[in-house]
Amino acid sequence: MHRFFMTGEPLNKDKIIIKGQDAAHIRVLRIRPEETVAVCDGKGLDHICRLIRADGREAELEIIKTEPSSAEPSVDCIIYAAFPKADKAESIIQKCVELGAAAIYFFPSERCVSRPDQSSVKKKEERWHKISEEAAKQSGRGVIPKTGVIDSFEKAVKQAADADLPLFLYEKETELSIASPLFEKGTSCKTVSVMTGAEGGFEPFEADQAKQAGMLLVSMGKRILRCETAPVAALSAVMLCTESF
Amino acid sequence: MHRFFMTGEPLNKDKIIIKGQDAAHIRVLRIRPEETVAVCDGKGLDHICRLIRADGREAELEIIKTEPSSAEPSVDCIIYAAFPKADKAESIIQKCVELGAAAIYFFPSERCVSRPDQSSVKKKEERWHKISEEAAKQSGRGVIPKTGVIDSFEKAVKQAADADLPLFLYEKETELSIASPLFEKGTSCKTVSVMTGAEGGFEPFEADQAKQAGMLLVSMGKRILRCETAPVAALSAVMLCTESF
């Protein structure tokens, strides 16, 4: 079943009007009157709808039933990744949305090579939102995960430390595997945060700051993961241990 | 410490000669006499060496000590992925080598859009080997994982079914999560196989064949994963549950 995200509220409790790009998309996909599609409210509810009419600019749909989006994971896992080079942020967003992240934020860290200025951040954020929306549609998510920039390492740590299980992936941590806290507390966590470094990882003083703020420094083994692989692997581990697979 | 893979055997038990590209690379990296590097035999042993001399065409190294490559996982996990479109195979290889796969094979399946012919397979296999080698060096692996093509679905299933834990990722499986067998048997497995579909997944008759051959049909949750995301996520789950993180 094709999925769309609605903007705004239903016209009334039985009817939805879709305009703009999605209306054009309904035409492109050649969805016919009487066919059913899912229109997601972006907050975790799916309206299962019957198409009444569509002319490419506007589509009218009748709500048959409304149900919680079944694909949403039970855990809210937010990814905090240090700005990576080139288009790796886009790859991180796409994969993490598929895997069930609640949000994906990027922040500057000591070893970041890439530090976009304010004007390019705005452009990037628009593009990231589009990638998140596309990935959410494609993977059947019930929400469009938020994406954006947190403008300092300190703020990112403070926010990440708030989770029930705040995981800081640190390549110099040799004692505590990410497996330990996940196996121990995974199923009881409502919120998890995963913080990962840029190319070259984190500086020791950054790891100290994260620890001071209450984050758990964890290892993902002895193999050095690329900055775009680590969040995806860690999120997979979180989903596995929170019964979200 | 920089890592290189040797070809052939050490000259004698104390000495290694590196030729070709790696010798040139030692020069590019400006590694100086007396500096130490790791020369991996590609079978799981690291020779920690002191550089004696290097002229760009040949480098002579003295073996200080030889030890098992510490970054090799305890489990042999082989990835079997249906031919994906475009350059996704390369991304799958790169990420799976970092995460610790023992080998990555591609096979044709019913819904594969891409079916490279024999001449292009040869070129691809050469390129895949290079990507595997680069990823192995970068991530600190002790072996260069094998990559290649298995020329039929039946052969791939037969080979994959041989593992202690043969996992077949099937998007229509709704009962058994990949978590169940991994939590139950993960630490006792020496070999795991992970079989994933192309864009569009597997046909029901393919899932039946895999089941008949002894593979476990498992789900990775209700979110639809891209064909290049599924092997990476599944391998992360395997590494987590086999104490390889």
Side-chain angles (χ1 to χ4, degrees), chain A residues 223-225, chain B residues 5 71-73 79 90-104 128-129 131-141 143-147 232 235 239:
Chain A
R223 292 170 296 287
I224 298 152
L225 301 180
Chain B
F5 284 94
E72 281 305 303
I79 305 295
E90 299 183 7
S91 161
I92 292 172
I93 291 169
Q94 188 187 62
K95 303 321 182 209
C96 290
V97 167
E98 284 173 54
L99 284 163
I104 301 110
W128 292 346
H129 178 75
I131 290 168
S132 179
E133 181 174 354
E134 284 307 315
K137 278 185 191 168
Q138 178 269 331
S139 60
R141 293 288 304 268
V143 302
I144 303 171
K146 280 192 189 153
T147 52
V232 174
L235 181 57
M239 289 298 149

Side-chain angles (χ1 to χ4, degrees), chain A residues 30-242:
Chain A
R30 297 185 189 196
I31 299 169
R32 303 266 172 220
E34 294 303 306
E35 279 188 57
T36 52
V37 300
V39 181
C40 182
D41 73 350
K43 297 165 195 157
L45 284 182
D46 286 353
H47 303 294
I48 309 302
C49 298
R50 182 183 298 124
L51 182 65
I52 309 281
R53 59 175 183 82
D55 63 10
R57 276 178 305 177
E58 193 177 281
E60 183 184 339
L61 302 112
E62 181 195 0
I63 298 174
I64 304 169
K65 61 178 173 180
T66 297
E67 55 191 25
S69 307
S70 62
E72 281 305 301
S74 57
V75 69
D76 258 29
C77 182
I78 299 183
I79 304 295
Y80 299 85
F83 281 126
K85 279 196 271 189
D87 56 359
K88 289 177 188 171
E90 300 183 5
S91 160
I92 292 173
I93 291 169
Q94 188 186 63
K95 302 326 183 206
C96 289
V97 167
E98 284 173 53
L99 283 163
I104 302 111
Y105 298 116
F106 297 92
F107 60 89
S109 77
E110 199 60 22
R111 292 192 199 159
C112 282
V113 176
S114 157
R115 283 166 192 258
D117 57 33
Q118 222 153 6
S119 73
S120 76
V121 159
K122 200 168 169 298
K123 263 193 214 154
K124 275 182 199 290
E125 284 188 326
E126 279 166 24
R127 187 157 163 71
W128 292 345
H129 178 75
K130 250 198 135 41
I131 291 167
S132 179
E133 181 174 353
E134 283 309 314
K137 277 184 193 169
Q138 179 268 332
S139 60
R141 294 288 304 269
V143 301
I144 303 170
K146 280 192 188 155
T147 53
V149 166
I150 297 175
D151 63 13
S152 78
F153 176 77
E154 290 70 24
K155 280 188 204 166
V157 163
K158 192 164 179 289
Q159 194 174 320
D162 245 5
D164 296 344
L165 190 57
L167 302 170
F168 185 91
L169 267 66
Y170 188 41
E171 64 287 3
K172 292 200 182 71
E173 171 60 42
T174 53
E175 297 293 314
L176 189 67
S177 162
I178 192 172
S180 305
L182 279 177
F183 284 151
E184 199 183 313
K185 299 187 196 162
T187 52
S188 66
C189 288
K190 292 237 175 307
T191 57
V192 178
S193 55
V194 170
M195 203 158 175
T196 61
E199 294 86 359
F202 288 113
E203 288 289 343
F205 80 86
E206 292 174 318
D208 282 346
Q209 278 185 34
K211 201 174 176 178
Q212 289 293 330
M215 297 196 74
L216 272 180
L217 309 192
V218 295
S219 156
M220 288 205 52
K222 292 181 176 170
R223 292 170 296 287
I224 298 152
L225 301 180
R226 277 166 204 264
C227 65
E228 75 271 26
T229 311
V232 174
L235 181 59
S236 303
V238 170
M239 289 297 148
L240 188 81
C241 292
T242 55

Side-chain angles (χ1 to χ4, degrees), chain B residues 152-164:
Chain B
S152 77
F153 175 79
E154 291 70 24
K155 280 189 203 165
V157 163
K158 193 164 179 288
Q159 194 173 320
D162 245 5
D164 295 344

